[in-house]
Amino acid sequence: MSHHHQAVASPDAHPASVRVGSQRVSHPDRVIDPSTGLTKLDLVRYYESVAELMLPHLQGRPVAQVRGPQGVRGPLFFQRHDAHADDEEAPLKISSADALLAAAQLNVIEFHTGNARFRTADKPDRIVFDLDPGEGAAWSQMQEGARLVRSMLQELGLQAWLKTSGGKGLHVVVPIASRWPADSLRAFSKAVVDHLAKTLPQRFVAKSGPRNRVGKIFIDYLRNGSAATTVAAFSARARPGLGVSIPVAWEQLPELTSGAHWTVQTAGDHLAVEKVDPWADYAGSRQSLGVAAKTLGLKFAPRSRSRA
């Protein structure tokens, strides 16, 4: 009998918890994505492997989290505030690898960030164009759509950076100087999207709603509202396949096969061989919108210093 007991405690038995970095991971072999068999441990290990790359995208910003205690097929909970803080409205912060892994241990699958940093809370430092394919829109249309958004921004004198969404779409991100309030940026991004939808109506729509979008690309400018968040670079997505949002160079766009081109399973290999960070220049880019806004016929001035 005792021999049989030993077998139960063998290394092959399901462990109650496993250490990943500083974190004890409970229920490590719980399957969170039945379509691939990926487990909670796979996800936590993924976040450990990308923590160094991901933290600069999380630090200093409000973070929102999507928790999936029963995996991607169960109920998903979107959480914006720190439940453990004294102040109920305290935003979630993630400033270390330990905090990232602790969140993953608490079944967080997705991490989203706001457009403004805490220190310039009322003045975002980026604009996000979220390209979302309507039903029947081919992937080649998405690739072309991203190029068209980029070239319009270039005509306005703005450089943009590209990442996969980890879902169906692509994100085109414009880093800017923290000078304008969110409502001005929302007006700016709406003007860009309206212009594209007006000049290329067979390709783009500016209105949401499935009926408007069939075969076309919806560009969501509401990602630039004051409380809006966007899934962060390197975050996984709470959907079958566990796609991840990965920064890419524009030159890589033709090679992409979907918004979930990389997944929790495959991203590590890609990042291990990538020699150059495609977003290397992103952090230092603080672009002015003054000229671009004027070109679009918008009148918005930076808030005057005296009122601050």
Side-chain angles (χ1 to χ4, degrees):
M1 280 301 281
S2 63
H3 177 73
H4 180 69
H5 260 339
Q6 272 183 317
V8 173
S10 76
D12 301 336
H14 293 311
S17 73
V18 171
R19 276 197 98 76
V20 175
S22 62
Q23 188 59 51
R24 269 206 132 15
V25 181
S26 61
H27 310 293
D29 47 12
R30 183 199 290 142
V31 172
I32 56 171
D33 177 26
S35 75
T36 56
L38 287 165
T39 64
K40 182 177 174 184
L41 182 60
D42 292 323
L43 184 63
V44 177
R45 283 189 170 144
Y46 165 75
Y47 279 125
E48 185 195 31
S49 73
V50 296
E52 206 178 308
L53 294 168
M54 189 173 182
L55 282 169
H57 296 272
L58 299 174
Q59 285 165 332
R61 290 182 190 277
V63 173
Q65 302 175 340
V66 176
R67 293 179 61 232
Q70 294 164 40
V72 299
R73 288 197 186 152
L76 299 172
F77 303 95
F78 190 82
Q79 187 186 341
R80 289 182 175 275
H81 301 295
D82 186 344
H84 305 294
D86 301 334
D87 171 12
E88 281 175 11
E89 289 296 293
L92 286 162
K93 298 181 167 90
I94 291 193
S95 44
S96 66
D98 288 351
L100 180 64
L101 297 189
Q105 150 60 18
L106 293 172
N107 303 306
V108 175
I109 301 175
E110 301 188 2
F111 296 86
H112 298 235
T113 54
N115 291 330
R117 295 174 181 277
F118 289 122
R119 54 185 162 75
T120 49
D122 57 340
K123 293 179 186 161
D125 66 354
R126 71 179 187 207
I127 295 174
V128 179
F129 296 95
D130 176 5
L131 279 66
D132 196 14
E135 203 185 322
W139 177 248
S140 57
Q141 281 175 264
M142 286 293 290
Q143 291 165 306
E144 179 200 40
R147 277 192 293 271
L148 289 166
V149 171
R150 183 198 190 192
S151 60
M152 173 165 180
L153 291 166
Q154 282 174 327
E155 283 177 38
L156 291 168
L158 295 170
Q159 271 188 291
W161 278 257
L162 178 69
K163 68 185 181 78
T164 62
S165 71
K168 290 186 179 151
L170 294 167
H171 293 158
V172 176
V173 187
V174 182
I176 56 169
S178 302
R179 254 182 247 160
W180 299 276
D183 50 7
S184 294
L185 301 181
R186 196 182 134 181
F188 177 85
S189 52
K190 182 182 189 310
V192 170
V193 173
D194 284 345
H195 179 82
L196 284 163
K198 204 167 66 199
T199 47
L200 298 163
Q202 67 285 16
R203 291 191 175 87
F204 295 113
V205 286
K207 288 185 187 67
S208 66
R211 227 174 297 130
N212 303 317
R213 295 162 66 165
V214 173
K216 298 181 186 181
I217 296 167
F218 170 60
I219 310 177
D220 187 357
Y221 59 82
L222 296 176
R223 293 270 167 242
N224 302 298
S226 57
T229 58
T230 302
V231 76
F234 304 104
S235 175
R237 301 308 300 270
R239 45 188 78 183
L242 290 180
V244 289
S245 175
I246 296 286
V248 288
W250 285 101
E251 297 72 47
Q252 291 170 286
L253 178 57
E255 299 152 35
L256 298 179
T257 52
S258 79
H261 185 89
W262 291 285
T263 67
V264 160
Q265 266 175 317
T266 62
D269 290 345
H270 161 67
L271 295 167
V273 298
E274 192 170 65
K275 304 264 189 301
V276 181
D277 173 6
W279 279 34
D281 303 335
Y282 175 89
S285 179
R286 312 229 190 293
Q287 304 179 93
S288 173
L289 288 181
V291 174
K294 211 173 279 174
T295 307
L296 289 170
L298 295 171
K299 294 181 177 63
F300 62 75
R303 281 182 181 162
S304 64
R305 290 270 155 81
S306 57
R307 277 172 55 203

